[in-house]
Amino acid sequence: MKIEKTKTAVAISTGALSGDGVVTSKKALGEIPHLFLDRDALSSMDPETVVYSVECHEAVAAGTRGGLFFGTSTVRPGRVGDEYFMTKGHFHSRRETAEYYWGISGSGVLLLMDESGVCRAEEMTSGSLHYIPGRVAHRLINTGEDDLIVGACWPSDAGHDYGSIETKGFPVRVFCRDGRPVLEEKKR
Ligand SMILES: [Fe+2]
């Protein structure tokens, strides 16, 4: 018996994943036009602008009971009008499943919403740890000048329900007002 090297690595300082089983995805402005409130501002921006990207290590097939997924999300700095760049946000398809997030670098907000639409927000910074309980939707918002890089670990059978967010949305949005992030209740 010998000590084996793993086939995957995570760069501690950047969260970057490399090796076997790593899948990546990214979202550009043109793919998520309904996410932001200011359509006029959006129309003058390059639809190829990347808003966020995700690297994920999937050691098991999606939907596997008892497994875990591990990932790193990077939300780019930027705004559409006064609204900061953010992720789509999601509930888990299996509503009872929870997730850990932790801040690697940058600064931002973790916006959380329960099934009745009640929101709360946690400040994200390097080293902050966030437990997201089941039945709580979650969205990342970059309120800083640099990339917001966030690590995550979640059950492999959690799944992503983006549809509920697309139809109902988060009732709270984060805008830059006088150079500072401010939470405002705004429907689409
Ligand atoms: Fe999640």
Side-chain angles (χ1 to χ4, degrees):
M1 189 179 180
K2 62 173 184 164
I3 298 171
E4 296 176 22
K5 282 194 172 168
T6 66
K7 294 181 172 143
T8 318
V10 54
I12 296 299
S13 59
T14 66
L17 299 178
S18 57
D20 290 359
V22 175
V23 293
T24 61
S25 64
K26 63 183 173 183
K27 280 279 173 287
L29 268 180
E31 298 173 272
I32 45 176
H34 306 298
L35 201 55
F36 298 95
L37 210 56
D38 190 337
R39 299 295 169 81
D40 290 340
L42 185 70
S43 66
S44 66
M45 297 175 73
D46 181 356
E48 301 293 317
T49 304
V50 173
V51 178
Y52 63 95
S53 57
V54 179
E55 293 181 335
C56 180
H57 180 244
E58 299 186 349
V60 296
T64 302
R65 295 288 292 271
L68 292 169
F69 284 160
F70 183 96
T72 301
S73 295
T74 300
V75 186
R76 301 282 173 83
R79 298 197 300 263
V80 176
D82 291 333
E83 190 170 19
Y84 293 103
F85 278 9
M86 59 182 160
T87 61
K88 287 201 292 186
H90 60 267
F91 283 102
H92 290 160
S93 302
R94 286 179 64 91
R95 283 290 194 274
E96 73 274 21
T97 54
E99 182 164 4
Y100 270 114
Y101 274 5
W102 57 96
I104 295 172
S105 66
S107 56
V109 172
L110 170 60
L111 185 61
L112 302 164
M113 176 178 71
D114 70 18
E115 289 179 299
S116 63
V118 175
C119 290
R120 63 190 182 85
E122 295 181 358
E123 183 180 6
M124 295 212 77
T125 185
S126 177
S128 62
L129 183 65
H130 309 263
Y131 180 74
I132 303 162
R135 305 186 185 286
V136 172
H138 32 292
R139 163 178 283 171
L140 290 169
I141 300 137
N142 186 349
T143 59
E145 305 286 319
D146 305 307
D147 285 348
L148 172 66
I149 305 179
V150 174
C153 189
W154 68 100
S156 49
D157 63 341
H160 293 90
D161 171 12
Y162 297 106
S164 297
I165 303 298
E166 281 167 19
T167 48
K168 270 187 76 179
F170 282 77
V172 171
R173 292 170 176 271
V174 187
F175 296 92
C176 179
R177 305 293 191 209
D178 298 323
R180 300 168 57 125
V182 175
L183 294 155
E184 296 180 8
E185 287 196 25
K186 281 228 165 59
K187 304 266 188 206
R188 262 187 294 206

